[in-house]
Amino acid sequence: MADPAPKIQHGEKVALVLGAGGARGLAQIGVIEALEARGLEIVAVSGSSSGALVGGIHAAGKLAEFREHLLRMERGDFLRLLDPVIGQPGLLHGERLVAAMREVVGDPQIESLPILFTAVAVDLQRQRVVWLRSGPLWDALRASFAIPGLFTPHEVHGRALVDGGLLAPLPIAATRLSDAHRLIAVDMHGWPRRPPGEPAEADRTEHASMTARFGDWVERKLGGNGGGMGLVELMSRSLDTMQAQIARVEMALDPPELVIRIPRDACQFYEFWRAGELVEIGRIEAEKALDAAGY
């Protein structure tokens, strides 16, 4: 039997890989805060989709400002940032959303960031993963969270790119390029906090209302008839199922030194206005994982 890896030490340099998960990805803000509170120095980050968003903003040194901005946002603020399009391969353009975040974070070049950063996207034409490690930060982030069918693809370096979570929901290989000795991965498909189909009592009415309103809007955009599970829930569950399986394979092929797992039922994929609750979930889960590892 191989000797266990030495424990992560205070002040040690670590690389961080952040997973895809829609609004659930905001929990990774709390993860980063917990790691830094334990004295760990994050020297490299890679991420897919919402993991790329959080990781890129952290690499730019603007995570605290972004967190405060999110905490001030309510449902209506978020919904006003959606910019529907007609006659394009996606429901939303995403430019209004990016513009609002750019105001908080700025528009740096990836190669100028103080932390090594890799955003992961997918080139559908070539059917391959793309690592974005140079150029405008927001071009890379917009490509990485371009969920097919929801956001239009984004062109970077002459290629139309979509969400990195399609092929690399937990892009461990991209993070291994750093010189950090340890890698910490955040898996967005942890065990549910509640039995399937049983939301917390306080969430039942609100969840049903928001899901219906958002789903009805998407159904109208696509000309669907609604009914059954609903397009939005079907799409999000399908993506989650696929990404969970791929993430398990990625971790089996290249096991991280530490895995922090976010419950997969923490929120619906579009509930970005629940940032405060999600950040706290991330902090709690990170501390639990660090404690269990004996750090």
Side-chain angles (χ1 to χ4, degrees), residues 214-226:
F214 195 83
D216 287 348
W217 177 80
V218 173
E219 293 283 3
R220 288 197 301 272
K221 287 288 293 181
L222 292 181
N225 295 320

Side-chain angles (χ1 to χ4, degrees), residues 102-140:
R102 186 186 287 118
E103 288 183 6
V104 179
V105 178
D107 194 15
Q109 298 289 305
I110 294 176
E111 55 269 35
S112 71
L113 300 179
I115 294 175
L116 182 66
F117 174 66
T118 305
V120 177
V122 169
D123 183 336
L124 285 180
Q125 182 67 29
R126 296 172 175 82
Q127 297 184 331
R128 61 185 296 179
V129 172
V130 177
W131 294 351
L132 300 171
R133 310 186 75 205
S134 63
L137 175 64
W138 285 107
D139 271 348

Side-chain angles (χ1 to χ4, degrees), residues 51-284:
L53 178 67
V54 171
I57 293 173
H58 174 66
K62 295 291 185 176
L63 195 60
E65 292 88 340
F66 182 64
R67 179 186 190 274
E68 293 307 310
H69 180 72
L70 285 174
L71 293 180
R72 292 193 296 268
M73 289 187 68
E74 299 179 352
R75 299 176 191 82
D77 299 321
F78 174 74
L79 294 175
R80 281 189 288 273
L81 294 177
L82 303 182
D83 45 5
V85 295
I86 298 175
Q88 296 190 35
L91 295 175
L92 305 172
H93 197 281
E95 290 307 308
R96 192 180 300 167
L97 184 63
V98 168
M101 294 187 288
R102 186 186 287 118
E103 288 183 6
V104 179
V105 178
D107 194 15
Q109 298 289 305
I110 294 176
E111 55 269 35
S112 71
L113 300 179
I115 294 175
L116 182 66
F117 174 66
T118 305
V120 177
V122 169
D123 183 336
L124 285 180
Q125 182 67 29
R126 296 172 175 82
Q127 297 184 331
R128 61 185 296 179
V129 172
V130 177
W131 294 351
L132 300 171
R133 310 186 75 205
S134 63
L137 175 64
W138 285 107
D139 271 348
L141 299 186
R142 173 62 179 81
S144 188
F145 68 68
I147 301 172
L150 185 60
F151 288 104
T152 58
H154 191 69
E155 185 170 316
V156 180
H157 305 319
R159 294 176 291 186
L161 305 179
V162 297
D163 196 303
L166 289 182
L167 295 179
L170 196 61
I172 294 173
T175 321
R176 288 293 192 193
L177 292 174
S178 75
D179 58 1
H181 294 161
R182 307 300 186 91
L183 187 145
I184 298 174
V186 185
D187 177 23
M188 304 306 297
H189 304 92
W191 194 252
R193 295 177 299 169
R194 298 179 292 271
E198 292 293 330
E201 186 64 36
D203 295 341
R204 291 178 192 272
T205 302
E206 177 183 354
H207 171 264
S209 174
M210 289 305 301
T211 299
R213 287 164 52 194
F214 195 83
D216 287 348
W217 177 80
V218 173
E219 293 283 3
R220 288 197 301 272
K221 287 288 293 181
L222 292 181
N225 295 320
M229 185 182 292
L231 176 64
V232 172
E233 188 172 2
L234 175 62
M235 182 177 69
S236 64
R237 286 193 185 184
S238 298
L239 285 173
D240 258 0
T241 301
M242 178 188 70
Q243 291 173 355
Q245 179 63 24
I246 297 174
R248 284 192 286 268
V249 172
E250 289 174 313
M251 287 188 287
L253 291 174
D254 189 1
E257 279 70 32
L258 178 66
V259 178
I260 297 167
R261 292 184 166 86
I262 305 301
R264 61 177 179 263
D265 64 345
C267 70
Q268 295 295 304
F269 86 96
Y270 54 83
E271 292 181 313
F272 287 89
W273 51 83
R274 294 176 63 182
E277 174 188 349
L278 293 166
V279 170
E280 181 65 9
I281 288 173
R283 183 190 63 77
I284 291 171

